[in-house]
Amino acid sequence: MAVKVSSEWLNSCSGCEISLLNIGDAILDLIPSQIELVHIPALVDSKYFGATGESTTLELPKATVGIISGGIRNHEHKEIAEEMRKKVDILIALGTCATDGGIPAQANMWKNEDILAKVYGDCPTHAPAAPPAEVIPAYTDNVKALDEVVKVDIFLPGCPPHPDLIAEAILALLAGKTDWKLEERSVCDTCKVIREKKGGGGSVKRSLESVEYNPDEPIEKMRCIMEQGWLCMGTVTRAGCAGKSGAPRCIQARMPCRGCFGPIRKGAKPMVDMMGSLASVGLNAQSVVDRRAILNRFVGSHGNLRPLPTKANV
């Protein structure tokens, strides 16, 4: 009998769904013999309140596996996540928005009322207007990762997650391995650049300058980007962006790691750990522009980002 799978996207950009489809023929071979998709708004129209809107409560179909991408930004997201949790046996948080808040959780640096005032009342591109008070779901008090609202069984981070890892997780579940999880390795553990374990020191360079490398030579001939003086989050970021093989994605493009896979282990604080990593090669962590946002770029939930008290309240 095919395993029933239900999928939802909440506070996200749909990149995770594209990555899911990029599994390609491997997933097509599983449908419908081994996987039955019972709910997936990214592919098939689906109604929350009955086919004709006759129901008064939001309902999702029962399934063995639930997949949710995106975090929780408003009360509609929260209601959908809670309903799916009730209806599935195993829940997967897909993508860094679901596991750690992702880019949308940068909003946690401000109060909701300040965000709405900026967007509707103080934006230079349009006339001021009152924030909508009807139809639009109300904000939650901040942007939350999925496990801050419901129990999550499997965490699959990435912006987006690599199709190899999504396929691996699905195949593991079909084989009855419900304890599948990523290894606790850093991007640096999988990066083959040259490390001299010393840097030039000084201020962190900005991305307006280019990393030094020879485009005709492989990654293995390029010196560590952080040792060259740029902010590279590889030391504090979980490995996996390259899938089963190859150099980390950003390093392949000769760019510093942005940290999109989130912390290496649950509960880690990338900002704190990164300050130590920068100091280890002599770089001045204080020189990172907008460092609170940059060093928590993908991990603003779980209390990592919150509004700072105003000077009047200090």
Side-chain angles (χ1 to χ4, degrees), residues 244-287:
K244 293 182 178 178
S245 61
R249 279 173 166 171
C250 286
I251 308 301
Q252 288 182 42
R254 317 288 179 142
M255 295 291 291
C257 168
R258 298 293 201 255
C260 79
F261 258 62
I264 299 168
R265 61 188 62 82
K266 193 172 179 59
K269 299 295 183 185
M271 179 173 175
V272 175
D273 296 340
M274 197 64 218
M275 302 285 267
S277 295
L278 290 169
S280 71
V281 292
L283 291 172
N284 178 9
Q286 302 296 322
S287 66

Side-chain angles (χ1 to χ4, degrees), residues 7 24 38 71 77 87 99 110 114 117 137 161 164-165 167 188 201 223 235 247 259 261 263 265 292 308:
S7 173
V38 297
H77 297 153
K87 296 295 181 63
T99 60
W110 295 276
D114 293 336
D164 286 353
L165 300 182
C188 286
R223 192 179 177 199
T235 58
F261 258 62
R265 61 188 62 82
R292 191 165 73 100
L308 292 177

Side-chain angles (χ1 to χ4, degrees), residues 3-21:
V3 173
K4 293 184 177 181
V5 176
S6 179
S7 173
E8 262 291 352
W9 52 1
L10 304 179
N11 192 34
S12 61
C13 68
S14 79
C16 293
E17 281 66 33
I18 300 298
S19 196
L20 183 63
L21 297 178

Side-chain angles (χ1 to χ4, degrees), residues 109-307:
M109 290 190 292
W110 295 276
K111 297 177 181 176
N112 286 343
E113 54 267 35
D114 293 336
I115 294 172
L116 292 172
K118 179 67 177 178
V119 171
Y120 290 97
D122 190 28
C123 183
T125 60
H126 58 255
E134 298 180 355
V135 181
I136 305 297
Y139 276 176
T140 45
D141 55 356
N142 58 17
V143 179
K144 301 178 188 298
L146 193 57
D147 69 337
E148 293 182 281
V149 175
V150 295
K151 177 180 177 290
V152 172
D153 301 297
I154 292 177
F155 296 84
L156 184 42
C159 188
H162 196 288
D164 286 353
L165 300 182
I166 301 175
E168 183 178 305
I170 292 174
L171 292 173
L173 289 175
L174 291 177
K177 301 174 182 176
T178 57
D179 58 349
W180 184 92
K181 62 181 179 180
L182 286 174
E183 292 183 67
E184 292 186 352
R185 295 193 302 163
S186 75
V187 166
C188 286
D189 290 335
T190 64
C191 185
K192 297 181 180 179
V193 296
I194 298 170
R195 294 190 185 88
E196 299 179 0
K197 297 185 178 179
K198 61 181 180 182
S203 298
V204 175
K205 297 177 182 177
R206 301 190 66 181
S207 298
L208 301 173
E209 302 176 60
S210 296
V211 172
E212 296 177 10
Y213 67 96
N214 184 339
D216 295 325
E217 293 180 343
I219 296 293
E220 289 82 353
K221 297 290 186 180
M222 182 177 75
R223 192 179 177 199
C224 169
I225 292 176
M226 195 164 78
E227 288 185 1
Q228 291 190 42
W230 276 270
L231 174 66
C232 183
M233 298 285 286
T235 58
V236 301
T237 301
R238 188 190 289 264
C241 61
K244 293 182 178 178
S245 61
R249 279 173 166 171
C250 286
I251 308 301
Q252 288 182 42
R254 317 288 179 142
M255 295 291 291
C257 168
R258 298 293 201 255
C260 79
F261 258 62
I264 299 168
R265 61 188 62 82
K266 193 172 179 59
K269 299 295 183 185
M271 179 173 175
V272 175
D273 296 340
M274 197 64 218
M275 302 285 267
S277 295
L278 290 169
S280 71
V281 292
L283 291 172
N284 178 9
Q286 302 296 322
S287 66
V288 178
V289 177
D290 200 11
R291 62 180 177 278
R292 191 165 73 100
I294 294 297
L295 300 182
N296 288 297
R297 185 181 301 179
F298 292 90
V299 296
S301 64
H302 298 117
N304 288 327
L305 284 176
R306 61 186 66 186

